[in-house]
Amino acid sequence: MTVKKLVAVLAGLCLVAAVVTALVLKQGVERPPEAASPPTTTSAPTSSTPVGNGRADYLYFTETHLFVMRGEQVITRLRRFFGGGDALENKVVWTNSGDHIALFSDADMRVESNEETELIVIDARTGEQRRFPCRLCSDIAAVGPDSVLVNIGSENSAVDRFQTIDLRTGARQDDTRFPPALDAPNSRKFLVSTRRHVITMQYDGRGKVSLVLVESGAVAGKQIAAHSANYYTPVAPYENGEGEKYALAVAEGSGCGGRSSISVLDADGNATSTDTSAMMPPGAGSGFYVTDVWWTPKGELRATATSWTCTDLKANNNGTQTVRDAGGLWALENGKWAKSGTSPVTMVRDLGNGTVAELTVPSCIGQIDPNADCTAGPLALHRDSNRTVVAEKAMFVSTPPISVPSPQPSTSSAAAATPPASFAGTWSQHAGGLTIAPDGKVTMNYQSTATVMPTFPELTMRITEVVDGRATATVLTSSDTAMPSGASVVFERKFPGLVMSGPSGLVLRWCDAATRAAGECGA
C-alpha cells in the first residue's frame, strides 16, 4: 500500500472533539433543515443492561457497533455502521463534561441521503440512549459543559446554519451565530473543540487547507495554520487551571518524502514548534507520518508515528517502501521527541488507575497481504503486567476530554450561611443548570447568546447572608467577566421558581421541575 493510501485509511479512524480528527470534504446540502425535535428514549441493543455505577472511561467502535465501556464492562452498545474512509461519517464526540456522547445516525451511508439523519445521544453514566430527528445535519462539535453545536444545513450554499442543543435537557438555541467560512461553507468542518473554542478546518480560497480557531463570542476566527495537503490532521486539546492548549500534527508532502510537523498552540492560537527529527529514518527517500497525538492527565504530550524508507525512487517521489517503525510510541521531552516504546501501536489512551488502552492497526506500508485489514485491529487494556484484549477488530478508541479543574480560591473571607430549605436543590433553565447545596455552596452554568457564538459561563458561589427570604451569595470562581470573583448576587423565590439578580442588571430565572415541565424556561 502506498503512503498516500495509508493516509486515506488513517483518516477513516478520526473523530472530532475526542482528540483526533480528519478533513473529509463532503458536498453540502441546499435545502432548509427541520428544527431538531425533543428527544425520545429508545431501547438500544445492548450486550448487558445499561449500568449506572460511575461514568464511562472510554468508547470504541467496530465496523458495526459503538461500545461505551467502563473497564472491561460494556455500559451500552449501539448498532451503527462505521466506514473505513470518511472520518466525518465516523465522528463521535464527548461533551466537555464527559457525561454525554453524541453522534449522527448512519442514514447518510445506508441510503445516500441525510434527510433521515438522527442525532443520537448516549448518557455516559447510565448508557441511556436518546434520538433527535436532525434532518440534513452534517457536522457536530461539543461546546460549553454539556451542549453540542450542530451544522443543520442551509437554504443558501453560501451560508451555514447552526443550532446549539443542551444534551441534558434537549433544549435548543435555533439560528446560533458562528463566524463565516473563509471560502465555501461546505468545505468547513469542525476539527476539535473545548468549552471555549472550536477549531475548524477549511479551504481558504487560495488552494490551501486552513485551521481556524474560533473563541466563544468572537466575531471572526483566527487562522492558526495552513498547509497544502488535504491530509489526516491529528489534534488534541488539553484544559487545566491555567487555560487551554492544543497539540497539532500536520502532514506535508506525498509519496516517499512525506513527513509531519507537531506544534503546541495556546488558547490564542500562538504556536510553538517541536523537534520531530528523531522520527525521520536516515537516508534519502525516507519519510514518516504522525498517526496520533494525545495528552496524559498530567499534561505530558505523546504521539505515535509510522516511518519508512524507499528504494527505486522515481521522479514523482514514489518508490518501493519498507516500514522502519510501524506505529512507534514517542514522548515530548524539552521540546524534542524521543522514542518511548518499541511495540507497534496506533492509539494509546490513559484510563486512570494505572490502566492504559492500546489500539494497534496494521500500518499496511510496503508489501502486505492483499487480504489484510488496514482499518481495524486489536484493542487491549494494560495494567501492570496484565493485558486483556477487549476487541479484535476495533477501529477507534476515545476517552472523555482531559480537563484539570482550576484551583479553588480560599473561601475563608466569605462566611457561609444556611440557605432556606426551599432554595436548596437543583434548578434549570434553557441550556443551564443551578445547584444550591444545604451548606450554602452554589454551582451554576448558563448559556449567553449576546455574542456571535454562544458562551457557557460557569461559576461557583457561596451563600453568605439570608434576610427576609432573600439569599445573598458571593462569587468564588467565574468564567464570566460580567460576574467576576468577589461579585455579589441575590436569589429570591419568584416565578418560575428562583430568580437571581446580579451585577450590571443581569437577571437569570430558574425553573423547578413543575415549571420546567410546563415549558416556562424555554424549549
Side-chain angles (χ1 to χ4, degrees):
M1 177 179 291
T2 65
V3 175
K4 186 175 182 179
K5 188 172 182 181
L6 165 67
V7 173
V9 169
L10 290 173
L13 303 177
C14 313
L15 303 177
V16 170
V19 292
V20 185
T21 190
L23 172 66
V24 179
L25 301 183
K26 187 178 179 68
Q27 182 63 37
V29 296
E30 298 185 0
R31 285 166 288 184
E34 296 175 348
S37 301
T40 56
T41 301
T42 62
S43 55
T46 61
S47 60
S48 61
T49 302
V51 182
N53 181 25
R55 194 176 68 182
D57 10 66
Y58 68 104
L59 65 82
Y60 72 91
F61 62 72
T62 64
E63 186 178 22
T64 59
H65 288 87
L66 170 73
F67 295 85
V68 180
M69 305 290 293
R70 187 180 304 117
E72 299 176 39
Q73 184 180 34
V74 177
I75 297 178
T76 190
R77 72 175 182 178
L78 169 73
R79 186 173 181 83
R80 183 198 188 275
F81 175 72
F82 292 91
D86 193 331
L88 184 62
E89 292 175 337
N90 288 344
K91 184 181 293 185
V92 180
V93 302
W94 295 83
T95 57
N96 290 303
S97 68
D99 289 342
H100 291 91
I101 298 160
L103 70 160
F104 294 131
S105 64
D106 56 5
D108 196 3
M109 289 182 281
R110 288 186 291 102
V111 298
E112 298 184 352
S113 169
N114 58 0
E115 293 196 21
E116 299 177 15
T117 297
E118 295 177 304
L119 175 62
I120 303 171
V121 178
I122 300 174
D123 191 313
R125 300 156 298 184
T126 66
E128 178 191 31
Q129 298 178 21
R130 295 178 293 163
R131 291 176 179 260
F132 301 74
C134 208
R135 177 174 173 262
L136 305 184
C137 293
S138 62
D139 205 357
I140 185 172
V143 294
D146 225 18
S147 297
V148 291
L149 179 67
V150 178
N151 188 331
I152 58 175
S154 173
E155 300 179 38
N156 184 336
S157 60
V159 180
D160 281 328
R161 290 185 60 198
F162 299 92
Q163 186 178 80
T164 304
I165 304 175
D166 187 330
L167 300 191
R168 295 167 300 183
T169 64
R172 63 186 184 273
Q173 176 67 44
D174 294 328
D175 296 322
T176 297
R177 293 175 292 173
F178 197 75
L182 296 176
D183 195 39
N186 59 15
S187 74
R188 174 172 60 181
K189 306 301 173 189
F190 297 138
L191 185 61
V192 73
S193 60
T194 63
R195 294 171 189 257
R196 293 179 48 228
H197 293 91
V198 176
I199 295 181
T200 67
M201 180 179 258
Q202 53 188 295
Y203 277 116
D204 62 5
R206 296 171 295 175
K208 287 186 176 292
V209 175
S210 289
L211 303 186
V212 179
L213 178 69
V214 180
E215 183 175 5
S216 297
V219 176
K222 177 180 180 180
Q223 185 170 321
I224 55 176
H227 55 96
S228 57
N230 176 15
Y231 278 164
Y232 172 62
T233 303
V235 58
Y238 181 83
E239 295 184 76
N240 60 14
E242 300 177 353
E244 303 173 1
K245 56 183 177 180
Y246 308 84
L248 172 70
V250 174
E252 294 283 4
S254 61
C256 292
R259 63 194 62 201
S260 296
S261 62
I262 305 176
S263 301
V264 177
L265 289 74
D266 62 21
D268 294 322
N270 301 310
T272 301
S273 299
T274 64
D275 185 348
T276 59
S277 58
M279 295 181 178
M280 175 69 78
S286 298
F288 73 97
Y289 282 133
V290 173
T291 52
D292 191 25
V293 290
W294 70 96
W295 299 94
T296 70
K298 295 181 180 180
E300 302 161 332
L301 188 55
R302 300 287 186 265
T304 52
T306 296
S307 63
W308 60 84
T309 56
C310 288
T311 56
D312 303 323
L313 284 174
K314 307 295 191 300
N316 60 0
N317 212 24
N318 286 328
T320 302
Q321 297 162 330
T322 301
V323 175
R324 288 292 301 269
D325 191 354
L329 182 61
W330 297 79
L332 184 65
E333 300 176 356
N334 298 319
K336 296 183 177 182
W337 288 94
K339 196 70 179 295
S340 63
T342 57
S343 299
V345 64
T346 306
M347 302 181 71
V348 180
R349 294 294 180 268
D350 191 327
L351 307 185
N353 299 318
T355 303
V356 174
E358 292 188 356
L359 172 63
T360 305
V361 178
S363 65
C364 293
I365 289 179
Q367 300 299 317
I368 62 170
D369 183 343
N371 297 317
D373 186 351
C374 301
T375 64
L379 174 64
L381 301 185
H382 294 259
R383 183 180 177 87
D384 298 325
S385 59
N386 298 319
R387 179 178 184 269
T388 303
V389 176
V390 176
E392 294 288 353
K393 291 290 184 179
M395 299 172 68
F396 190 86
V397 61
S398 172
T399 53
I402 294 177
S403 180
V404 180
S406 302
Q408 297 299 310
S410 171
T411 60
S412 58
S413 60
T418 302
S422 62
F423 284 46
T426 301
W427 308 81
S428 64
Q429 60 169 229
H430 170 78
L434 167 70
T435 299
I436 299 179
D439 63 359
K441 294 180 181 179
V442 181
T443 58
M444 181 175 71
N445 63 78
Y446 56 95
Q447 178 177 327
S448 171
T449 58
T451 51
V452 174
M453 183 177 167
T455 57
F456 297 84
E458 298 182 11
L459 297 88
T460 61
M461 298 178 261
R462 181 180 294 280
I463 292 178
T464 56
E465 184 181 50
V466 178
V467 178
D468 296 331
R470 294 157 52 96
T472 300
T474 298
V475 177
L476 302 179
T477 64
S478 172
S479 60
D480 187 350
T481 56
M483 270 205 296
S485 299
S488 294
V489 302
V490 175
F491 292 97
E492 297 181 83
R493 281 287 271 147
K494 292 182 178 180
F495 182 83
L498 201 64
V499 175
M500 188 205 81
S501 302
S504 303
L506 176 67
V507 176
L508 296 176
R509 294 175 173 82
W510 303 89
C511 277
D512 56 23
T515 52
R516 175 76 189 182
E520 299 293 347
C521 281

